[in-house]
Amino acid sequence: MNCAISGEVPVEPVVSKKTALLYEKRLIETHISDYGKCPVTGEPHTIDDIVSIKTGKIVKPKPLHTTSIPGLLGSFQTEWDSLMLTNFPLEQQLHTARQELSHALYQHDAACRVIARLKKERDDARLLLSEAERQLPAAPEVATENVTISNGKRAADGGEQGPDAKKMLLGISAEVTTELTDCNAALSQQRKKRQIPPTLASIDQLEKFTQLSSHPLHKTSKPGILRMSLRPEESIHCCLSWHCCFRYKSIPNGECKSRMEPSQDTSRSIRYR
């Protein structure tokens, strides 16, 4: 009698109480512990459902092909062929898995580069938008419906007003706003391109400047000096204000050489001859 699982003569035969089938003890115990049912009928089984059978010692006969060297070599060749046939699909699966992994890594790197480029473009667009918002002036708010008049009345939908109603003056038109914006952009570009002259004093140099002398000779009714002319080689300078003209002989000492009253208040320039 042979085992219902392996088809060979069992070394430790057992029989099932439910199915009355013969099994190898180690095989049926492993199957029941893993699946909990009969491998042939599929009925639920436990270890208590199998009963051992007492038999004499069984000596397994050797197969005919293992009794000679050529038979052993043939069996070895058969095992080797079956092993190679099993390894071949495994190698194919490994090669496919490597290709898929390399393709996935390439896609990941490409996606990272695309994301980095998109982030850079987003940051540049935000920077340009912020600069444009700083340059554009605020648009005037014009009410188009239910305009409130200064006397508390509201204008009709057609724009007709009563005889005592006052018309509301609108703000700057869109054409003027566009022209101002274009002019502002052009002037801003010119200011950015303008270079600072090398002779211009720096902030540190301006902080070190000190007052050497002060000559408060002009009146404060109309403050401000309109024009000033210097002649450094003779230490003479002139200044023109709203009410008079002074000519100083010495710049450090502040000695006044002459004073002249302007004929009209419209004097705006001064010059040495």
Side-chain angles (χ1 to χ4, degrees), residues 109-128:
D109 295 339
C112 291
R113 289 193 294 270
V114 171
I115 292 172
R117 179 173 58 83
L118 292 177
K119 285 184 177 180
K120 183 178 179 181
E121 292 179 356
R122 182 200 62 184
D123 296 339
D124 295 341
R126 287 180 177 177
L127 181 60
L128 293 176

Side-chain angles (χ1 to χ4, degrees), residues 21-259:
L21 294 175
L22 186 67
Y23 301 101
E24 179 70 41
K25 183 178 180 180
R26 57 182 178 82
L27 297 178
I28 190 62
E29 287 181 352
T30 304
H31 187 84
I32 290 174
S33 62
D34 293 339
Y35 302 101
K37 60 183 180 179
C38 177
V40 179
T41 61
E43 296 180 5
H45 269 61
T46 61
I47 300 298
D48 298 334
D49 294 333
I50 59 175
V51 180
S52 300
I53 300 175
K54 295 181 180 181
T55 58
K57 186 176 180 181
I58 300 175
V59 179
K60 293 183 179 181
K62 295 183 178 180
L64 295 177
H65 62 274
T66 60
T67 57
S68 62
I69 295 177
L72 291 174
L73 293 177
S75 62
F76 292 158
Q77 184 66 40
T78 303
E79 293 292 336
W80 175 259
D81 294 341
S82 61
L83 180 61
M84 289 297 102
L85 292 175
T86 305
N87 289 339
F88 180 73
L90 295 178
E91 292 178 356
Q92 287 185 336
Q93 293 178 2
L94 178 61
H95 181 67
T96 304
R98 286 180 176 177
Q99 288 182 343
E100 292 177 355
L101 179 60
S102 61
H103 185 64
L105 292 176
Y106 176 77
Q107 288 182 342
H108 179 267
D109 295 339
C112 291
R113 289 193 294 270
V114 171
I115 292 172
R117 179 173 58 83
L118 292 177
K119 285 184 177 180
K120 183 178 179 181
E121 292 179 356
R122 182 200 62 184
D123 296 339
D124 295 341
R126 287 180 177 177
L127 181 60
L128 293 176
L129 181 60
S130 62
E131 292 180 356
E133 289 178 352
R134 287 196 298 267
Q135 293 178 0
L136 289 177
E141 298 180 357
V142 180
T144 58
E145 295 181 359
N146 297 330
V147 180
T148 303
I149 312 304
S150 60
N151 57 1
K153 298 182 180 180
R154 292 182 178 272
D157 295 338
E160 298 179 357
Q161 300 177 1
D164 298 334
K166 296 181 181 179
K167 293 183 179 180
M168 182 177 181
L169 298 178
L170 300 179
I172 302 176
S173 62
E175 292 79 5
V176 177
T177 303
T178 304
E179 185 176 356
L180 291 176
T181 303
D182 297 339
C183 181
N184 181 29
L187 294 178
S188 298
Q189 292 179 358
Q190 293 178 2
R191 286 195 296 269
K192 291 180 181 179
K193 294 180 181 179
R194 186 169 55 190
Q195 297 181 357
I196 301 175
T199 58
L200 184 65
S202 62
I203 298 177
D204 297 336
Q205 294 176 353
L206 292 177
E207 292 178 353
K208 296 179 181 179
F209 286 175
T210 58
Q211 181 178 348
L212 299 180
S213 61
S214 176
H215 313 291
L217 299 177
H218 295 282
K219 296 181 180 180
T220 59
S221 58
K222 291 184 179 180
I225 298 175
L226 300 180
R227 290 290 185 272
M228 180 176 289
S229 179
L230 300 176
R231 185 178 289 179
E233 63 274 8
E234 298 181 7
S235 299
I236 298 175
H237 77 283
C238 289
C239 59
L240 176 64
S241 65
W242 285 95
H243 62 281
C244 63
C245 175
F246 287 98
R247 185 173 67 168
Y248 297 99
K249 183 177 181 181
S250 175
I251 296 177
N253 299 329
E255 180 183 355
C256 181
K257 186 175 182 180
S258 64
R259 173 176 177 175

